[in-house]
Amino acid sequence: MIYIGKRLRNNEEYASIPSFDAKQLNGDYSGLFSSAYTSSDTRNLLEPAIQVIHADGNPSLDLKYVSHQQDAANQSSEILLTKIHLKDPVYPFEVILYYKAYYKENVIEQWTSIKHTETDVVRLQKYSSANLYFSSTDKYYLTHFHGNWAREMQPQEVQLTAGIKILDTKLGTRADLFQAPSFLLSLHRPLNHDDEDYGEVFAGTLAWSGNYQIQFEIDPLRNLRLIAGINPYASEYFLAPEKEFITPSFLFTYSNQGVGVASRNWHRWARKYRIPEGDGNRLTLLNNWEAAYFDFDEQKLTTLIKDGKKLGVDLFLLDDGWFGNKYPRNYDSAGLGDWQENINKLPHGIGYLVNEAEATGIKFGIWIEPEMVNPKSELYENHPDWVIKLPNRAEYYFRNQLVLDLSNPAVQEFVYNVVDRLFTEHPLLAYIKWDCNAVIYNAYSATNSHQSHLYVDYVHGLYSVLDRLRKKYPSVSIMLCSGGGGRIDYGVLKYFTEFWPSDNTDGIERVFIQWSYSFFFPAIASCNHVTDWGKQSFKFRTDVAMMGKLGYDIVVSKLDENELVFSQQVLQNYTRLKDIIWHGDLFRLVSPYRSDRDIASLIYVNENQDRAIWFTYLVGNRYRAGSNGVIRVKGLNPTKRYTIQEINIYPGTDNSTIISANSLSGDYLMTYGFDPMVDVQRPSVVLELIEHIL
Ligand code: DGJ
């Protein structure tokens, strides 16, 4: 690997980049530091990308270039697939490196295929997706995102120093709970939060929903080696002759115009190539989780459905608690796994509710958590061998539940049928919220012939179920949830139209959490709900929820008149504006993470640059905190003129404080700027920009 960075103007000059021979003089004793896929146990001195034990017990691997091939992967030549074939000169063991370049979006997807024809199984001890080498930078600043329940995606930046920094997880399911598999690597200097148009940024993410490991090694030549893939922890894989092991994809983009461009690359790529219905529609909804928890019945739900209609949303989403009879799901320690309607709560079944919703004029959706089981359930009683748990050890629970063994095909069939049956029995069912609340403790499968395959086979089992479901139901909306945002990556997002970023819906917290997700994921996929969390005004929390896929999780009947009228107006505004938020470009203007400002500000601009929606919030509470002057807008057309109109105005707001401006040029707004006048009286301001045709 010779170079990663800004494209050189003259192709032939890539050949002028010193090869490893020259580097060898500088101290690469092995000639392997910059390998495109570093093998191990021959002469390699650094972290390998692959480590194997051959059928005869020999623990070494040597990979030599054999050939390569390049094909346009789609007709419009917007995608180019490069395959590089490597082989061991001694053992019949081969690797193919795949690099899929999405030219327009500037994203590269990389994965690896591993295969052999030895006389018996080869033990794969490490089998990474990607191995990259950065050699023309002197300093590397890594921003990674750690977290926990209700504290997802907390960024932290560190300068990489000699040695290895590892981002990883061993949680099995909910793999991202403590650390996301997505990161930003700022080259030469720390990430520029002050102006996202500047700086060299490499952004990477691993498309894998299980244990992963991403290693950053500053080598003795002070270059950076990046190795990303499935976590080798407890995951030795026995590969039979002729079988192919395909690693998950590592995806990356690069920008020399700051992290703003890198994010827009992801958003465009994800909407076009990854997320189902990425360019399509979404349903606003009213969820009953925080409005009722487990305490509801048919009558209450019928009222809530009507409330949803009154509010003006597209769909009512019934959350946890609707199932289980022998062990009713009236609290979170029973019933999980028994996916039959509870006859006391829902005597006429789901069908009745679907029809009620239809008759009311909205759609109906439902919550499931099909990968999990409460020990207090019929499922557990009937299929104890379907549960991941160690023999000779006491069971240990996460939210009173255990994880089903998705490496077992019978369990895959069960999970598939839970969902398929819902859709088959209720063809008008329009939405599923798929939750996943427990991590894997005591990892052990009753049926898998190799215990060390469990973590990997679990994810493959999950993907295979989701794949089947998506083939049968290609466009239905499905929300990815994992007790908040415990599982958000581009592997699983192949199957979900949207994700739940966090159970934390406090308005201020959400400004920060959604900001972090927006580095990698498009707004159309981010479910943002208005709830009772947080001390901010109802308007503030609503405005924040509007910056993505808007939803509600409130008791509508408890809203006062102003709150209800305001919500109805916002939903009408949203109908007009959602296209810009969902399919437009995002420009983050002022970061809430800046210590010298008290605000967060961002704008969505549509492709034609004739419409935009601009959100600004007060996030600090120091003396005179506020926007205190102009913010330079981005993404507009300098030659167009725009009218600016404040929207989402709370009933009773003094008219004299409402912003409205006529005919300001994009040039003016982007060069001089505009003050949204955010302060403690106006902590949340939403402005609509429309091209002013003279
Ligand atoms: C965790 C989710 O994040 C919540 O939104 C809710 O669906 C609960 N699970 C239900 O148990």
Side-chain angles (χ1 to χ4, degrees), residues 149 287 289-290 294 319-320 329 332 367 369 399 433 435 437 481-484 500 502-503 553:
W149 180 77
N287 189 190
W289 175 240
E290 291 182 24
F294 297 101
D319 213 285
D320 197 352
R329 178 78 171 170
D332 65 13
W367 176 97
E369 192 179 5
R399 206 199 186 200
K433 174 177 178 182
D435 209 344
N437 283 292
C481 176
S482 181
W500 181 234
S502 177
D503 279 349
D553 199 342

Side-chain angles (χ1 to χ4, degrees), residues 356-369:
E356 275 296 301
E358 286 290 322
T360 311
I362 61 175
K363 308 231 161 278
F364 186 83
I366 202 158
W367 176 97
I368 50 171
E369 192 179 5

Side-chain angles (χ1 to χ4, degrees), residues 274-278 281-282 423 466-478 493-497:
R274 187 52 57 120
I275 296 173
E277 300 293 300
N281 193 27
R282 295 291 184 278
F423 283 130
L466 290 166
D467 202 55
R468 268 176 84 191
L469 288 168
R470 267 300 170 210
K471 287 206 168 96
K472 192 159 175 194
Y473 308 101
S475 55
V476 68
S477 293
I478 311 184
L493 279 174
K494 227 186 205 167
Y495 310 105
F496 290 86
T497 46

